[in-house]
Amino acid sequence: MYDLLIKNGLIVDGSGDVPYQADVAVNGDTIVKIGHLDEPAKEVIDAKGKLVTPGFIDIHCHSDAIVFQPGKNPQRLLQGFTTEVVGNCGVSCAPITPEFKDQWATYCAPFFSHMPVPFNWNSYDEYLKEVEKNQLCLNMAGLVGHGTVRACVAGFENRPFTPEEMKKAEEFLAQSLESGAFGFSSGLIYPPGVYSTKEEMLNFAKVVKEHDAIYTSHIRSESYGLIDAVAEAIHVAEATGVSVEISHHKAAGRPNHGKIRTTLQMIADARAKGLDVNCDVYPYDAASTNFNSILPPWALEGGIDKMLERLSDPDTRAKLIEAMKDEHPNWESFYQLTGWEGMYITECSVEKYADRTIADIARSENADPFEKALDILLESRNNAMMIVFFMDPEDVSRAIANPNSMVCTDGFPSVKKSHPRYYGSCVRVLEKYVKQEHLLSLQQAIYKMSGMPAAKLGLSDRGILGEGKKADLLVIDFEKLHDNATYKEDKATCDGIEYVAVNGQIVVKDGALVPVYAGRVLRKGR
């Protein structure tokens, strides 16, 4: 007798192959048989007229803090995710050194929506063991953040590593990869990652390659310097042989729209040379990040407390505003990319600023918007997040359709308001780009959400619906699929995901959440 039998479904197995009709049998946490099956089962799901697929893998998200809130992330299951990858954009919870712990926690707080993170560990192994104590709704796979490692060694200092520091940082990385991290991530527009040299990144990439892991990068520019930044990421792959993932690929700001054509071709050319280079993308034309990203990198030298000191000094404020007004910046200037009308504060510890654009706030207070933006950072003590509207929907479509891209959310969970991508990305792709616009076939889209990210990560037992694979499964009513999350109603859950199994346990039944926490901490190679 099987534990679970899913009958009569249309199998979209995550490999990109043509769908086929079959039954799926599960014992324990494993798919044991696929075919036309008549054996009895403890639980039978009739999937006639429905799709049966692998659970989706969010290869790039920022769920780092919510995994410490037991059972608090079930809405993600309702867009089909069964595994999520944390530690992206150079920001991870480990490794961490005692002398740096408080400073790092302060820096990460806005990213983490001020959810409590214990930081009662030093090593990456200790961190994963701490996560395992919580009730996980999804499986979690982790990356080591370059910013985290850099800060452990040199804090927020704007300078290259010394040879001794480089060796120490490489040891931090190697130990973390040996503990089960799936790769190494960088956020090269964010302090302290922005202070790194190209040589430093090559040294790290060699360590990643030695451990057969991946290197993911929020590259040095997604705007005016986009092409050079993609070239740098490809060079890392070429020089070291490491598997590279360009994170949330986009062309930001109207003057840069269309550059995606060039960069996607660069990725294709790299792959034609045998390099393992991909990108991921979310299906929206707005990004989301920490509001302090409006500042030039030197503003954060020394950490958040130093940044707040600079904001309090009239002469330094004037220099900051001058830097933001520079029409030819040598850094990722969000003001130059979108203006104050395009910056929308989603979450702020000063309530009156939340759910508004900077332009609206400044108008309502008859204030200079540059001064007001700095006031918001100072009054909130850096506790503000924003959505930034600066992408071309046609570029998004090109990236989604590209054979070398995967679907991600790049989403941050929020106590208050966040970007709708965290709750809607996969279903939006299936509804908009498969059902409505026919930009992708059904099997292509499912592959971008399951088999492709699993292969990139080296998750050999997930992402494909096959015998012997772990039973992370979805039953989908394709006709009912709809993403309800919007910029105003960011946490509205999706329609159409009828059943979800995580490690063989039913966690969504008839479209409703079941209070079962079957997620696991995944470790590479184990």
Side-chain angles (χ1 to χ4, degrees), residues 134-208:
N134 294 273
Q135 295 173 322
L136 299 182
C137 296
L138 293 80
N139 302 311
M140 188 201 89
L143 305 176
V144 188
H146 166 240
T148 315
V149 171
R150 194 171 216 283
C152 285
V153 176
F156 280 82
E157 295 182 22
N158 183 0
R159 60 172 179 78
F161 280 143
T162 66
E164 294 77 15
E165 287 172 335
M166 188 72 244
K167 183 178 179 181
K168 186 176 180 181
E170 289 172 0
E171 290 172 355
F172 274 124
L173 173 58
Q175 290 165 4
S176 300
L177 294 171
E178 289 159 10
S179 296
F182 284 80
F184 183 59
S185 77
S186 65
L188 298 179
I189 74 162
Y190 300 118
V194 70
Y195 307 139
S196 65
T197 64
K198 294 180 180 180
E199 182 182 19
E200 176 182 321
M201 302 316 298
L202 288 172
N203 288 338
F204 279 127
K206 291 172 186 175
V207 177
V208 177

Side-chain angles (χ1 to χ4, degrees), residues 86-128:
V86 304
N88 283 286
C89 294
V91 178
S92 63
C93 288
I96 195 163
T97 54
E99 61 270 25
F100 178 67
K101 198 166 292 188
D102 291 344
Q103 194 177 16
W104 190 241
T106 299
Y107 177 72
C108 291
F111 286 106
F112 295 169
S113 193
H114 299 277
M115 297 176 191
V117 176
F119 286 114
N120 56 346
W121 53 78
N122 293 315
S123 71
Y124 202 86
D125 181 64
E126 291 167 345
Y127 153 67
L128 293 181

Side-chain angles (χ1 to χ4, degrees), residues 226-249:
L226 173 64
I227 292 171
D228 287 344
V230 170
E232 179 186 352
I234 291 172
H235 175 67
V236 170
E238 191 166 25
T240 67
V242 75
S243 176
V244 168
E245 177 83 5
I246 296 172
S247 297
H248 44 62
H249 194 33

